[in-house]
Amino acid sequence: MNAVNLSMTVVLAVLYSVGFYLLLQRSLMRVLLGIVVLGHGTNLLLQLIGSPPGRVPILGIALPSEFTDPLPQALALTAIVITFALTTYLLALGYRSWVLVGHDEVQDDLEDRRIAQRERPEASMGEETTGEDDAEDDPGSAAASGDPVDPADVGGER
Amino acid sequence: MLGLVVAHLVMAAVLPAVSARNRRAAFGVAAVLPAVTLAWALGNAGQALGPGLDSTTSWAPELGLAFDFRLDALGLVMVVLVSGLGALILAYSAWYFGRRSRDATRTAALLLFFAGVMLGLVLADDLLTLYVFWELTSIASFLLVGQSGEHRANRRAALQALLVTVFGGLAMLLGIVLLGTAAGTYRISEIVTDPPTGSAVTAALVLILLGALTKSAQLPFHPWLPAAMAAPTPVSAYLHAASMVKAGVFLVARLSPAFAERAVWWVPIVALGLGTMLVGGWRALHETDLKRLLAFGTVSQLGFLMVLFGTGGRIAAMAGLALLLGHGLFKAPLFLVVGIVDKVTGTRDVGKLSGLGRRLPSLVVASVLAAASMAGLPLLLGFLGKEAAFEAFLHDGGVRNWLVALTLLAGSTFTVAYSARFLWGAFATKPGLPATEADQPSRGLTVPVWITALSGLVLGTLAPIVDGLARRYGAAYPAQDAVERDYHLALWHGLNLPMLFSAAAVGLGVLAHLRRDALTALHRRLSHPVSAQRGYELVVAGLERFAVRVTGRLQVGSLPAYLGFILLTVLALPGGALLAGGSWPADQAAFHTAIQLPLGLIVVIAALALVRVHRRFTAVLLVGAIGYGIGGLFIVDGAPDLALAQFLVETLTLVAFVFVLRRLPAHFTEKRPPRRVIVPKAVLATTAGILFAVLGVVASGARTAPATASEEFARLAPEAGATNVVNAILVDFRALDTLGEITVLLIAVAGTVSLVLATRHDRRRGTQVTSGSGTPEHEEELLG
């Protein structure tokens, strides 16, 4: 039985709140900072859920029974590195956005907004029934299932 | 039995190869398997009429799934319809489709595929197996009605058929699961012998009925069936008259012995069935297209069958079984006749055909046989069924039964009238119309018509054969009185009330046909804007508009809004589960070691300040402070490796930020948004943050013992030649994960470098980028 202690709970709550809040902003830079903060929060969460503070998991320094759980540490170590990779990439993306359009703000997707303004679907499954019937041959007729008619033959009769 | 079904499907798969050489041969080859199936079923008739023939093939035993099949009296009748008529209609198709017809290849394969899955459906003794085949027949119907999709009428009809039947099918699946759970088994034979009870069963029955009513085109779902006449005539004859539309009736017939006493079962079936019978019959009286006339006739007859199978009396069930067989044997040849008429004259319009009877006398005889069976004239199978149907409701003389009997009489009158109208429309010489030109149809087209029409006569005359089948099925109901116990299907019961009803139906029907002009005038006067077809269109259009509205509200094009929706979902679902099931650990320490407090304070202050700063550089420094603070906490927790990596990465991140910040403006450029935007965001983020913290507490509280994997890692670390367990995990035990991590790094590096180089390239060339997402030009282009 172990538990996150109360002070760490507060730290977690603040980190996640700030991370989410920044994520909801429009500036790409703030969004990026939000992701970094969320990454920190998650790494801390992994450690705290894993086990209460214990001895360093290195053989020869402590007994295995006194170890903190090494598995969350390994997971968090991977997570730290990947967060770093993501950060640099987003940073480059924000930079590129700034160079191209003069700011680094996330724009609204105009295509999506156009869909949102639409009142009725562009193409409808039921719409065809109200449209004018085109002068096609009856598809259920025997003629439609017969041999395809050579257009050259028909031409003479018309 | 599974073997037979699978053989159909395999054969259907290889059929296109045959078609490529010879279209006609493909239909011939396809007809072989259904014929074999029919022979197999008739060969096993003795056992089917006795205890029933069972076969089980295990599918997924861990889940209790198995292909259970069973051949009994009802199954035998359905196999005759599915395989017997299937073989004949496939043979007919060989002559119906042109030698070079483009549709023939796919139609042959799909018809055989359909024959296979329909066979599976009628033999299934397991509700889930039945459901699988049920939906497969819907799909086969969609493909066959849709044809190549070139014609609007095909597409529309195929979609309508699919939407309506699959909607019912999905409801039915839910019902099946409820029923199976309540009964503890999905085997139909076990459910019928020991029917479950309870409110869940009531709901299950309503849902299953929805599936049966949609599939069998009952009011108000019926319009899809006449619309499906856009398919080639053999397809209509097979799927939409003889077999597939009977699936709903079949399911009702299967389950009625268990549930017919419940009002939730018989009331909707009888009410809707009677309504369907009347509406279908009435509409058939006014159709000018012979095929649509027959389609409405089918709708009407399906309503009749529903009533017979749904009421749950012994005689009604016997009548139902006789008519089930009878309907297939008279409706299929009538459709085939329409196909022939269409083929030799080029029209199916009642107003254009005239004098055809003189040119095709033998076809007239066959048609009269079939139509007379439909009208219920003596000596024919239809008569046996109709007599029994009247007897079923007349013999005990209750008010309810009399009402049903009188409605059936009205429906039968319509049936007689539209049977007469069919014969008149197709073959009569009409005054003022020139005799229609017609070629002689080939034998391949007429022989199947004759076989089916004659079998109706033979089975009608040899009443004991059908009687044996019907009594075996009727035995599912205990006899209520002596009349029920001793009732036999027979051509002559003496002069009695049912006989009078039959005669009245014929007399009134013929009268109605003679006064057809007056009836059509009445129909015109009664025409009103409310119709089931209009209802279907409104529902579909409404659904589409609803979908557009929902999409419009959720997909607003703004990233913060999207993230907000996701966060809300996280709050609602895992948050709800947490509130419902999580338990707060009993012993909560304020801190584990005192040094956690100052470190945590640094992190909290830096994080809160981060929200308020306007200078980019300050923000980056604050993030760095958070990172170092957390590294410190890692050390306290006993994770020096982690802390080391954290410090290193934090430093590198800081360097990377500084490189970019050199070029960006010092302050955040975005305008400060109004309060009404900030407050919801802050509330949402805070709530989500608290949720995660609580999640952490509850999750750690739920843990009662150290992970076994971790102990294992510690034990094995010396063998990996390591003293640091974390290192051993990363480079040895979970080395593949680390490889994946390195790959991610590599991809990120490639992306970053190319972005930076592209920017540098642009600068050097001095290119001005004037288009692209977000520029004024782009916005103008999009919004017009």
Side-chain angles (χ1 to χ4, degrees):
Chain A
M1 177 74 190
N2 60 69
V4 179
N5 63 57
L6 282 178
S7 53
M8 286 301 110
T9 311
V10 173
V11 173
L12 275 181
V14 170
L15 280 180
Y16 271 104
S17 303
V18 170
F20 284 138
Y21 182 75
L22 291 176
L23 209 57
L24 291 174
Q25 304 303 309
R26 285 200 173 268
S27 160
L28 209 52
M29 184 66 113
R30 280 210 162 117
V31 172
L32 174 55
L33 293 177
I35 290 174
V36 174
V37 172
L38 281 177
H40 287 326
T42 307
N43 290 335
L44 190 61
L45 181 70
L46 268 176
Q47 286 314 295
L48 296 175
I49 292 183
S51 61
R55 302 292 298 273
V56 183
I58 295 176
L59 297 170
I61 293 183
L63 290 171
S65 56
E66 298 167 339
F67 283 176
T68 51
D69 193 343
L71 189 60
Q73 292 193 25
L75 293 178
L77 205 56
T78 309
I80 290 175
V81 176
I82 288 186
T83 310
F84 172 63
L86 186 66
T87 312
T88 49
Y89 181 71
L90 287 180
L91 205 51
L93 210 58
Y95 174 55
R96 174 96 179 134
S97 160
W98 184 78
V99 168
L100 282 184
V101 293
H103 57 77
D104 67 338
E105 284 175 31
V106 183
Q107 296 300 304
D108 276 0
D109 188 328
L110 295 176
E111 280 290 347
D112 280 356
R113 209 192 287 162
R114 210 156 59 144
I115 291 172
Q117 282 166 354
R118 209 183 283 159
E119 276 300 306
R120 44 176 50 252
E122 272 187 349
S124 161
M125 293 187 287
E127 191 188 44
E128 293 186 12
T129 50
T130 52
E132 270 180 40
D133 233 352
D134 39 8
E136 287 170 338
D137 295 336
D138 177 10
S141 70
S145 303
D147 290 330
V149 183
D150 192 359
D153 294 348
V154 181
E157 289 172 17
R158 281 181 190 168
Chain B
M1 292 186 223
L2 182 63
L4 272 174
V5 175
V6 172
H8 277 80
L9 305 188
V10 171
M11 198 68 197
V14 300
L15 212 52
V18 183
S19 276
R21 292 176 173 274
N22 187 334
R23 305 264 152 92
R24 193 165 281 181
F27 282 109
V29 170
V32 172
L33 258 178
V36 169
T37 309
L38 180 70
W40 165 83
L42 293 179
N44 286 306
Q47 204 179 351
L49 290 181
L53 186 65
D54 284 290
S55 97
T56 296
T57 310
S58 198
W59 175 11
E62 296 82 3
L63 297 172
L65 284 177
F67 286 111
D68 293 317
F69 292 107
R70 183 179 167 80
L71 182 69
D72 55 7
L74 179 62
L76 187 61
V77 168
M78 289 302 290
V79 171
V80 169
L81 295 181
V82 172
S83 298
L85 291 178
L88 287 173
I89 290 170
L90 279 166
Y92 173 94
S93 305
W95 277 270
Y96 182 83
F97 285 92
R99 280 177 188 278
R100 286 176 290 121
S101 161
R102 271 169 300 174
D103 295 333
T105 307
R106 65 195 299 282
T107 307
L110 282 171
L111 276 177
L112 188 62
F113 168 78
F114 169 79
V117 293
M118 192 69 204
L119 182 69
L121 197 165
V122 300
L123 289 178
D125 189 31
D126 177 282
L127 282 173
L128 293 174
T129 310
L130 181 137
Y131 173 76
V132 171
F133 287 121
W134 182 283
E135 294 293 41
L136 284 176
T137 60
S138 292
I139 292 167
S141 160
F142 172 76
L143 294 173
L144 281 167
V145 174
Q147 285 296 308
S148 53
E150 280 174 26
H151 295 275
R152 173 191 287 184
N154 284 120
R155 294 196 299 269
R156 203 158 64 195
L159 194 65
Q160 185 174 4
L162 188 75
L163 283 181
V164 172
T165 54
V166 168
F167 156 72
L170 286 177
M172 191 178 87
L173 177 61
L174 198 58
I176 286 175
V177 172
L178 284 175
L179 185 64
T181 313
T185 173
Y186 285 99
R187 281 204 80 135
I188 298 173
S189 46
E190 287 171 18
I191 291 175
V192 170
T193 40
D194 183 19
T197 51
S199 53
V201 176
T202 308
L205 292 182
V206 171
L207 291 168
I208 290 178
L209 269 188
L210 209 52
L213 295 174
T214 49
K215 192 83 168 177
S216 280
Q218 298 295 294
L219 215 63
F221 306 109
H222 65 277
W224 74 259
L225 183 53
M229 293 301 123
T233 305
V235 172
S236 306
Y238 192 25
L239 269 71
H240 306 119
S243 54
M244 187 187 83
V245 288
K246 300 249 172 60
V249 174
F250 166 78
L251 186 65
V252 168
R254 268 263 178 267
L255 296 179
S256 270
F259 302 112
E261 285 180 2
R262 289 164 162 261
V264 67
W265 184 258
W266 71 261
V267 170
I269 292 181
V270 172
L272 292 175
L274 288 174
T276 310
M277 188 178 184
L278 291 181
V279 169
W282 177 252
R283 291 289 303 271
L285 288 180
H286 310 292
E287 282 298 332
T288 51
D289 179 348
L290 287 174
K291 208 167 159 189
R292 280 178 68 84
L293 187 158
L294 288 181
F296 276 111
T298 307
V299 169
S300 168
Q301 294 281 317
L302 289 171
F304 192 11
L305 288 170
M306 276 286 177
V307 175
L308 292 177
F309 281 118
T311 43
R314 180 181 263 218
I315 304 180
M318 289 170 67
L321 201 79
L323 270 179
L324 184 68
L325 187 59
H327 180 255
L329 291 182
F330 64 66
K331 196 49 76 53
L334 289 178
F335 265 104
L336 299 185
V337 166
V338 173
I340 294 176
V341 168
D342 190 4
K343 186 106 183 154
V344 296
T345 65
T347 180
R348 303 188 307 255
D349 196 329
V350 170
K352 289 183 186 153
L353 290 164
S354 176
L356 207 58
R358 296 206 182 148
R359 286 178 172 269
L360 307 167
S362 92
L363 199 60
V364 176
V365 178
S367 310
V368 167
L369 269 182
S373 181
M374 175 151 82
L377 294 186
L379 290 183
L380 293 155
L381 189 50
F383 174 73
L384 293 182
K386 210 160 271 184
E387 283 283 284
F390 287 134
E391 176 71 27
F393 294 101
L394 289 173
H395 79 275
D396 74 345
V399 176
R400 191 188 102 200
N401 285 345
W402 262 93
L403 271 178
V404 175
L406 286 174
T407 321
L408 289 185
L409 176 63
S412 300
T413 307
F414 288 152
T415 310
V416 174
Y418 70 70
S419 304
R421 180 182 168 82
F422 175 82
L423 291 175
W424 165 81
F427 299 112
T429 307
K430 285 148 211 159
L433 270 185
T436 318
E437 293 285 326
D439 314 323
Q440 283 300 316
S442 69
R443 285 266 161 79
L445 292 172
T446 50
V447 168
V449 175
W450 271 105
I451 295 178
T452 35
L454 277 180
S455 54
L457 178 66
V458 170
L459 287 174
T461 334
L462 301 177
I465 298 179
V466 187
D467 186 53
L469 280 169
R471 280 184 70 83
R472 182 72 193 91
Y473 173 67
Y477 300 95
Q480 303 287 348
D481 50 36
V483 183
E484 288 201 347
R485 198 180 58 237
D486 299 330
Y487 190 81
H488 285 274
L489 295 177
L491 284 174
W492 182 247
H493 286 109
L495 275 176
N496 55 8
L497 211 49
M499 186 61 133
L500 185 71
F501 266 58
S502 282
V506 173
L508 290 172
V510 171
L511 189 69
H513 176 63
L514 294 177
R515 301 292 309 274
R516 56 183 174 271
D517 292 337
L519 278 182
T520 305
L522 179 65
H523 176 64
R524 291 238 176 77
R525 252 199 319 258
L526 288 178
S527 71
H528 50 85
V530 183
S531 80
Q533 178 64 30
R534 190 82 199 101
Y536 162 80
E537 282 157 19
L538 282 177
V539 167
V540 169
L543 269 178
E544 283 167 345
R545 262 206 291 278
F546 178 68
V548 168
R549 293 249 170 84
V550 170
T551 313
R553 296 284 174 283
L554 292 183
Q555 193 168 334
V556 288
S558 140
L559 186 65
Y562 291 163
L563 289 170
F565 290 136
I566 295 174
L567 269 185
L568 273 177
T569 317
V570 169
L571 277 181
L573 297 180
L578 193 65
L579 285 182
S583 61
W584 190 260
D587 54 335
Q588 267 295 32
F591 50 89
H592 281 119
T593 37
I595 191 119
Q596 280 182 330
L597 287 183
L599 283 173
L601 202 62
I602 291 174
V603 172
V604 168
I605 291 173
L608 290 177
L610 186 56
V611 178
R612 312 226 23 117
V613 290
H614 297 292
R615 286 177 66 90
R616 289 173 197 264
F617 191 65
T618 322
V620 171
L621 284 182
L622 284 171
V623 172
I626 297 175
Y628 286 119
I630 289 192
L633 286 171
F634 285 156
I635 295 183
V636 178
D637 280 348
D641 296 284
L642 219 50
L644 201 61
Q646 178 79 15
F647 290 139
L648 207 63
V649 162
E650 213 47 57
T651 315
L652 276 175
T653 312
L654 216 58
V655 172
F657 267 109
V658 169
F659 267 120
V660 174
L661 288 187
R662 254 178 349 127
R663 308 233 181 234
L664 293 185
H667 293 85
F668 287 112
T669 46
E670 63 178 344
K671 287 192 290 287
R672 202 178 155 72
R675 278 187 72 82
R676 63 179 174 82
V677 175
I678 292 184
V679 173
K681 279 182 182 173
V683 170
L684 185 62
T686 313
T687 326
I690 291 171
L691 170 77
F692 270 84
V694 174
L695 200 73
V697 174
V698 172
S700 67
R703 237 178 103 142
T704 50
T708 47
S710 304
E711 284 172 18
E712 203 59 2
F713 288 141
R715 198 175 56 79
L716 290 174
E719 286 181 32
T723 49
N724 185 332
V725 183
V726 177
N727 283 357
I729 292 176
L730 282 176
V731 299
D732 207 315
F733 303 131
R734 308 292 312 167
L736 206 60
D737 293 354
T738 311
L739 187 68
E741 173 195 343
I742 293 170
T743 315
V744 171
L745 271 183
L746 202 65
I747 294 168
V749 167
T752 311
V753 167
S754 54
L755 281 171
V756 171
L757 287 184
T759 308
R760 183 175 296 173
H761 180 76
D762 283 346
R763 280 177 176 252
R764 219 172 264 164
R765 296 271 303 275
T767 349
Q768 274 293 315
V769 186
T770 51
S771 75
S773 179
T775 58
E777 290 82 3
H778 179 66
E779 297 207 7
E780 230 168 73
E781 188 185 338
L782 272 175
L783 290 178

